[in-house]
Amino acid sequence: MSAKERNWWIVAGVVIVLYALFPIAWIVSLSFKAPADIANGQFLPTVFTWANYSQILTGDAAALFLPALRNSFGICLIATFLACILSMFAAYAIARLDFKGKKLILSTALAVAIFPVISIVTPLFNLWRLIGLYDTWPGLIIPYLSLTLPLSIWTMSAFFREIPWEMEQAAQVDGATSWQAFRKVIVPLAAPGVFTTAILAFFLAWNDFVYGISLTSTSAARPVPAALGLFSGASQFEDPTGATAAAAVVVTIPVIILVLIFQRRIVSGLTNGAVKG
Amino acid sequence: MTATVERPAEIVPREPVNKGREGWVRRAPLLPALVFTIIVTQLPFLFTIWYSLQSWNLVRPGSQQFVGLDNYVNVFTDSQFRGVALNTVVLTVGAVLIAMVLGLAFALLLDRQFRGRGVVRTLLITPFLITPVAAALLWKTVLFSPTYGLINFVLSPFGAGQTDWISAFPLTSVMVALVWQWTPFMMLLTLAGLQSQPHDVLEAARVDGAGSFAIFREITLPHLRRFIELGIVLGAIYLVNTFDAIYMMTQGGPGTASANLPFYIYQRAFLGFDIGQSAAMGVVVVVATIIVSTFALRLIFRSFQEES
């Protein structure tokens, strides 16, 4: 590659990185700005302040933000855990057992994934109020499961199909008990698929907004995205911009950490699930 | 996709396990997930169908009565509904196609050796990872804001004043935010496609004297076709249900200028309390989704089966 060509690629790379990251850098910088600085149009804050973070974590906005953070973590982790268990069984059956109608089952999962959530929110709202699930954790865990299960089954069975199941028998022939064979051979092989599925399921549940604002009304179950929705509209803060920026940063951090750690797996999980589907 | 799944009709089980009880025992591990999902999504949908046949406004207690297909007639004669449906198509198609073109361009740039490629690729995924609500807030407060927005800041040397982008171009603003978030996804998919290209074919073409553009058009693009189609279908499936971005950025306004179907249905039910009308629109959307996705998925599966 000639020097001129290489310079051109560097310029292009910089443009791409700016496209993706400059908006994010701007919101991070905004979250450290004092109220007087917010409208000054400069990239760096003139005074570096943690005030916005303390406002959402200990100040006036904490009553809205902290319970929401706790709800989101609790609800999404439980939903992810249940989705993984259920889809593990389903994926095992699809990958390992012979029976008719496998394709039908995968198609059903896909059809449910495509099903527009908005057309079932109103009856869920009515139903949940009737049976007392409105504004509770289970009231969100149940719809989140229906949101995450189709993708989980799809991804996990793509992974499970790649597992060389004969190795289990081979280990048993070599003298391992069936429990040992399962634990020492199959579990390590299945772990990456389960991990990827868990991350994708958590991502889906964490990002939900429609269920979050429709099926909750108080901090008893309101998840973070719904709380963020209230941040912008409500006039309970003097100038919500700084606090909003800080909240947006805090909300995004867990997802980014998760994905950066498991990046390679997620990319291969997405393409495996989708391409080999 | 393994052969067993592609051609279930041709499976010849070693023993006749599919008959009777044992077939069901084998299916048993599947049932919890499947039954649960179907109950949670389809039972409420039956209610939606039932609601759609009623005239029912929550603000007027006792107003609930059976009206047959009246709501559907109203839906199809409602000019707002048609406008909103058009917005949905414009928003979805526009966002998906622009994100795909940008994603493809970025993927082509990144599909070569240079120092720091891994870092750049990781950084580029970030917009996709941001919680959609936070991303919408980001665009609303940080980029499009008339007083301290980044866009006005960048454009100020060119004499752009304090344009309020979201009021002036509400639908386009939402689309820009969606494109920004979805470009990384499209880039990842097309990059996976680029990297699965057989190198010997590219090498042979180069030896035969083909130029870069000819190689791209004759070899790379056909190879990428299925990845591009997959990206478009997955993106469209997700983006047609866009709700958070519109809720956060424009509230569908001014009027219904930037509302799409999911937002309009929500607005009718939860802010207008018109349960019957909103349910009828919900049913129409489900039917439309089934029709469109059947065609789209057929296309996808066909092109993947050709390959394997």
Side-chain angles (χ1 to χ4, degrees):
Chain A
M1 207 186 281
S2 69
K4 192 183 162 200
E5 214 177 321
R6 189 162 55 233
N7 288 339
W8 201 81
W9 287 120
I10 290 173
V11 170
V14 169
V15 169
I16 297 179
V17 171
L18 279 183
Y19 169 87
L21 292 187
F22 199 53
I24 297 171
W26 191 273
I27 204 168
V28 171
S29 115
L30 204 58
S31 73
F32 288 114
K33 280 182 176 177
D37 265 4
I38 281 180
N40 71 357
Q42 283 173 8
F43 179 65
L44 289 173
T46 48
V47 193
F48 186 88
T49 167
W50 287 96
N52 295 316
Y53 287 93
S54 60
Q55 196 192 352
I56 57 163
L57 296 176
T58 56
D60 351 328
L64 181 65
F65 189 69
L66 284 184
L69 208 55
R70 194 189 59 221
N71 290 335
S72 260
F73 267 111
I75 293 170
C76 296
L77 285 177
I78 295 173
T80 305
F81 178 75
L82 293 176
C84 278
I85 302 276
L86 288 175
S87 53
M88 228 186 290
F89 284 119
Y92 177 83
I94 290 171
R96 188 99 199 266
L97 306 177
D98 273 339
F99 56 86
K100 279 186 186 162
K102 276 188 192 174
K103 192 182 185 181
L104 183 74
I105 283 156
L106 282 175
S107 316
T108 313
L110 195 64
V112 173
I114 294 170
F115 199 84
V117 164
I118 197 75
S119 345
I120 55 172
V121 161
T122 317
L124 273 183
F125 170 77
N126 286 339
L127 217 60
W128 274 193
R129 283 200 311 174
L130 198 70
I131 59 178
L133 282 179
Y134 181 70
D135 204 21
T136 62
W137 278 26
L140 279 184
I141 292 172
I142 292 171
Y144 283 3
L145 271 177
S146 75
L147 204 65
T148 52
L149 270 176
L151 183 76
S152 305
I153 295 177
W154 198 261
T155 321
M156 196 111 73
S157 49
F159 271 100
F160 279 15
R161 260 194 245 121
E162 306 287 311
I163 293 179
W165 295 97
E166 322 80 73
M167 281 177 62
E168 196 179 16
Q169 271 116 18
Q172 279 171 324
V173 171
D174 290 344
T177 65
S178 59
W179 169 244
Q180 279 175 325
F182 178 74
R183 203 172 49 108
K184 297 250 166 86
V185 178
I186 296 304
V187 169
L189 286 172
V194 177
F195 254 119
T196 311
T197 310
I199 293 167
L200 291 176
F202 185 83
F203 186 63
L204 266 186
W206 182 264
N207 285 348
D208 158 77
F209 185 63
V210 179
Y211 286 130
I213 55 164
S214 317
L215 303 179
T216 65
S217 61
T218 67
S219 54
R222 184 188 291 127
V224 166
L228 275 181
L230 293 181
F231 261 53
S232 73
S235 54
Q236 56 198 114
F237 317 115
E238 286 168 20
D239 179 11
T241 311
T244 307
V249 171
V250 173
V251 171
T252 307
I253 287 172
V255 181
I256 295 205
I257 290 177
L258 263 183
V259 174
L260 289 189
I261 295 174
F262 298 106
Q263 194 222 132
R264 200 166 286 273
R265 278 196 189 143
I266 289 177
V267 174
S268 71
L270 272 175
T271 43
N272 271 348
V275 178
K276 290 179 192 158
Chain B
M1 197 180 269
T2 61
T4 15
V5 179
E6 260 170 40
R7 293 181 288 274
E10 293 169 27
I11 294 173
V12 186
R14 274 150 286 168
E15 48 210 285
V17 288
N18 291 322
K19 292 207 180 95
R21 225 167 63 89
E22 207 190 337
W24 282 105
V25 170
R26 292 196 166 219
R27 288 185 183 89
L30 271 169
L31 292 178
L34 212 58
V35 170
F36 179 88
T37 324
I38 290 174
I39 288 179
V40 173
T41 57
Q42 298 313 298
L43 198 67
F45 185 58
L46 291 181
F47 277 97
T48 302
I49 295 176
W50 174 241
Y51 294 166
S52 76
L53 304 174
Q54 324 260 326
S55 165
W56 184 10
N57 195 313
L58 285 183
V59 201
R60 292 191 299 274
S63 69
Q64 188 174 5
Q65 54 170 328
F66 189 80
V67 291
L69 296 175
D70 277 11
N71 283 323
Y72 290 93
V73 174
N74 289 339
V75 166
F76 285 110
T77 50
D78 177 5
S79 64
Q80 269 190 342
F81 177 82
R82 283 197 299 270
V84 168
L86 185 68
N87 283 349
T88 313
V89 174
V90 170
L91 190 66
T92 310
V93 173
V96 168
L97 289 185
I98 297 171
M100 179 48 89
V101 169
L102 285 175
L104 178 62
F106 290 180
L108 287 170
L109 283 172
L110 288 179
D111 184 38
R112 35 190 91 223
Q113 296 297 330
F114 60 87
R115 208 185 310 168
R117 187 175 77 161
V119 178
V120 169
R121 201 161 50 187
T122 306
L123 291 177
L124 275 184
I125 308 172
T126 327
F128 189 60
L129 304 182
I130 292 187
T131 308
V133 172
L137 274 176
L138 169 80
W139 279 89
K140 182 184 169 190
T141 61
V142 180
L143 296 142
F144 285 134
S145 157
T147 43
Y148 42 83
L150 192 54
I151 307 265
N152 281 341
F153 171 67
V154 171
L155 293 181
S156 55
F158 307 103
Q162 303 220 319
T163 314
D164 187 352
W165 295 96
I166 293 186
S167 313
F169 311 99
L171 194 62
T172 318
S173 302
V174 174
M175 200 193 289
V176 169
L178 294 176
V179 166
W180 178 75
Q181 259 216 304
W182 279 80
T183 307
F185 176 79
M186 303 304 187
M187 182 199 77
L188 277 183
L189 263 183
T190 41
L191 197 58
L194 282 173
Q195 293 182 341
S196 69
Q197 275 189 113
H199 285 282
D200 47 338
V201 177
L202 294 180
E203 204 53 47
R206 217 165 283 135
V207 170
D208 289 347
S212 311
F213 185 69
I215 292 180
F216 175 73
R217 206 188 48 201
E218 301 295 331
I219 301 172
T220 306
L221 214 50
H223 173 78
L224 280 183
R225 202 191 84 191
R226 61 197 189 116
F227 291 89
I228 292 175
E229 284 174 354
L230 183 71
I232 289 176
V233 170
L234 290 180
I237 285 172
Y238 196 89
L239 285 176
V240 82
N241 288 319
T242 299
F243 177 79
D244 15 28
I246 292 175
Y247 184 96
M248 298 302 288
M249 290 175 71
T250 67
Q251 288 278 335
T256 53
S258 65
N260 67 350
L261 283 170
F263 185 80
Y264 191 55
I265 292 173
Y266 175 86
Q267 203 176 27
R268 272 301 183 79
F270 285 86
L271 307 172
F273 305 110
D274 193 344
I275 304 295
Q277 190 75 2
S278 143
M281 289 192 280
V283 174
V284 171
V285 167
V286 168
V287 172
T289 310
I290 292 171
I291 295 171
V292 173
S293 53
T294 309
F295 281 108
L297 292 173
R298 257 216 195 121
L299 178 83
I300 280 294
F301 281 120
R302 206 172 40 222
S303 74
F304 273 101
Q305 274 169 358
E306 275 168 16
E307 190 83 11
S308 58

